[in-house]
Amino acid sequence: MHNGSTGQAAAAAPARRSFARDGVATILVTAATMGLGLLTGVLVARTLGPDGRGALTAVLTTAQLLGWLFGMGCGKAVTYALSRDPRAGGRLLSTWTLMLLPVAAAAVLTGHLLLPTLLAAQPPETLELARLYLPMIALALLSELMLGLVLGDQDFRNFNALNFLQPAGVAVSYAVLWAVGLFTVETAVIAQAAMSTLVLVAALLILLRRHGVGRPDLALGRTTAWYALRTHGDVVGGVITQRLDLLIIPAFLPAAQVGLYALATSLSWLIVNLSSALATVVMPAAARRGRSGRDLVLNSLQATFAVGGVLGGGLFLFADIAIGLVYGPSFADSALPLRLLLPGAVLYAAASILLNGLYAENRPFTATLANLLGMAVTLGGLLLFLRSGGILAAAVVSTVAYALVFVAAAALYRRATGLPWRAFLPDPALLASLPRQLLNKPPPAAATAAGHTRE
């Protein structure tokens, strides 16, 4: 029995090292991407001001949201299918490309119908620019497919590189446009479109070289579409909970208010984006480990709370100073909405870990319930309070919705796993051993044994 346990531990060691390596790489790429986002945000704020930032946000957000809503969960579906059958790449590529073309056409048509309402408070030139940008929805859908296939190949290096290429290219393009005096809302939109196209072409070349183009497979399309639809409810609920405020606000408030709120949300979402990178790696790792993967989910949850608490607390305390120094005095009114959003952002970051834990437990419908609750609260609250309360009401509604998603996710994960509530709390033995570890002192035997219960 001892030899068998030793063999299992030895076999698990490479998997643990691989998980750590992939997780660290993904988090570092996400952090670098966030840094580029901050730089481009500063450039937009300093150059275009609140009105320009609001117009750019309105144009980009509409197409981005419609791409997510019409994406059908194809990214997760092809990732799962290709992970199970590495020979299916060519058939998945051709099958899903054909499936997404009519979906993309429907999304673009829907955008044309909704834009006059969604951008009702914006000037005519912003509405026209948003119409010209709508075909990018098709590229967003195809990019989700391509990146899902790259991830299904377990090609984490190219997956991270492609995810970094978009913001890096946009940052360089913005800097060049600014340097030559051509940085406007219109040229910023062109830069975004060009980099999205480049990422799609790069991903397609990688997949064609690896898999080629297979014959479309109706049976494969049907089975993967069913998997996609099972996950799409959670995707749609999450997107609406996260971004509905930015989609609705341009219909009620002027561009300057949109710009102030967009800055507050982008800063608060630094916390969520960093944890989402960890959640992306946690889900497949936890699924692969079975019941022992629950320890990984809970440890990741606690790590997310620790990191989110530090980042959120720092932003909360120094919001006025940071915004004034980095973005300028014209964005001073973003500080209070940011403070209102931060508690919810920390909780939503933690919820993303638990929701991916539910995916690892093969409970996609259960994960959907938590985000549907957040979606309902976000939609109802914004419709009731946005017109009278402005961006402060939007911030309060959003943070309440995020908090409810976390509470629901925790309750649903506990019910799915049968774990006691005390399992969600940090391990006291591990906390007690931390000072010794920092001082390079060996922990006592009891703490060492307790530390092995969670990876």
Side-chain angles (χ1 to χ4, degrees):
M1 181 67 68
H2 175 75
N3 290 337
S5 299
T6 303
Q8 290 175 359
R16 286 195 295 268
R17 288 195 295 270
S18 177
F19 169 75
R21 183 174 60 252
D22 295 335
V24 169
T26 304
I27 291 172
L28 289 176
V29 169
T30 302
T33 300
M34 290 161 50
L36 289 172
L38 282 175
L39 290 176
T40 55
V42 170
L43 183 58
V44 170
R46 290 283 187 176
T47 306
L48 303 180
D51 286 336
R53 184 183 176 94
L56 183 60
T57 299
V59 172
L60 299 180
T61 300
T62 303
Q64 185 182 55
L65 278 173
L66 288 172
W68 283 337
L69 294 176
F70 280 83
M72 298 173 56
C74 68
K76 290 184 178 180
V78 298
T79 296
Y80 176 80
L82 189 55
S83 298
R84 297 296 297 270
D85 183 5
R87 300 169 301 176
R91 289 179 290 130
L92 285 167
L93 177 60
S94 59
T95 302
W96 270 93
T97 298
L98 292 175
M99 291 169 60
L100 286 176
L101 290 178
V103 175
V108 172
L109 177 60
T110 301
H112 276 287
L113 295 175
L114 291 179
L115 275 178
T117 301
L118 294 176
L119 303 184
Q122 306 309 307
E125 55 268 24
T126 300
L127 176 60
E128 184 60 29
L129 185 60
R131 285 192 175 121
L132 293 174
Y133 190 73
L134 276 179
M136 295 304 299
I137 296 175
L139 270 70
L141 295 176
L142 292 173
S143 293
E144 182 181 355
L145 168 63
M146 306 300 174
L147 291 174
L149 289 170
V150 172
L151 191 58
D153 274 326
Q154 312 297 299
D155 186 1
F156 301 112
R157 179 178 299 179
N158 277 323
F159 178 77
N160 286 324
L162 290 168
N163 278 323
F164 182 72
L165 177 60
Q166 165 83 14
V170 168
V172 171
S173 301
Y174 280 12
V176 171
L177 290 169
W178 173 80
V180 299
L182 296 176
F183 188 60
T184 64
V185 174
E186 291 78 9
T187 58
V189 170
I190 293 172
Q192 290 278 353
M195 291 313 305
S196 297
T197 304
L198 179 60
V199 170
L200 175 63
V201 171
L204 178 60
L205 291 176
I206 291 171
L207 293 170
L208 289 176
R209 185 170 61 249
R210 184 173 297 152
H211 299 289
V213 178
R215 183 186 298 274
D217 189 329
L218 180 61
L220 181 62
R222 185 167 54 248
T223 56
T224 52
W226 169 236
Y227 184 94
L229 291 174
R230 291 173 62 202
T231 67
H232 196 46
D234 182 46
V235 174
V236 171
V239 168
I240 292 178
T241 302
Q242 298 164 22
R243 300 301 185 198
L244 186 63
D245 47 1
L246 285 175
L247 186 64
I248 289 182
I249 283 176
F252 293 91
L253 303 177
Q257 291 291 297
V258 178
L260 293 172
Y261 188 75
L263 175 62
T265 56
S266 65
L267 291 176
S268 68
W269 271 79
L270 293 175
I271 300 168
V272 180
N273 290 336
L274 194 59
S275 70
S276 296
L278 179 60
T280 301
V281 182
V282 164
M283 191 274 280
R288 191 163 51 241
R289 297 183 184 198
R291 293 179 63 87
S292 65
R294 297 170 183 175
D295 288 334
L296 187 147
V297 172
L298 295 176
N299 287 337
S300 299
L301 172 67
Q302 293 151 15
T304 299
F305 265 126
V307 174
V310 172
L311 294 178
L315 279 173
F316 190 92
L317 291 174
F318 300 107
D320 297 287
I321 298 174
I323 290 175
L325 288 176
V326 177
Y327 295 95
S330 61
F331 284 89
D333 288 340
S334 293
L336 182 53
L338 172 60
R339 288 193 171 102
L340 293 173
L341 285 165
L342 283 171
V346 174
L347 290 172
Y348 197 83
S352 69
I353 300 293
L354 293 172
L355 294 175
N356 277 274
L358 286 169
Y359 273 104
E361 298 286 334
N362 196 22
R363 300 290 185 92
F365 286 123
T366 304
T368 299
L369 295 177
N371 266 319
L372 288 180
L373 174 62
M375 180 182 70
V377 171
T378 301
L379 179 60
L382 290 175
L383 292 178
L384 286 174
F385 303 113
L386 180 58
R387 190 182 296 275
S388 60
I391 59 176
L392 295 182
V396 171
V397 169
S398 294
T399 208
V400 169
Y402 299 159
L404 288 176
V405 170
F406 169 75
V407 172
L412 292 169
Y413 187 74
R414 177 180 178 272
R415 181 178 180 182
T417 59
L419 294 170
W421 282 115
R422 64 177 178 273
F424 289 74
L425 301 175
D427 190 328
L430 290 177
L431 292 178
S433 69
L434 184 58
R436 293 179 180 271
Q437 296 172 24
L438 294 176
L439 294 172
N440 293 321
K441 295 181 179 180
T448 302
H452 283 299
T453 62
R454 291 187 181 178
E455 298 176 2

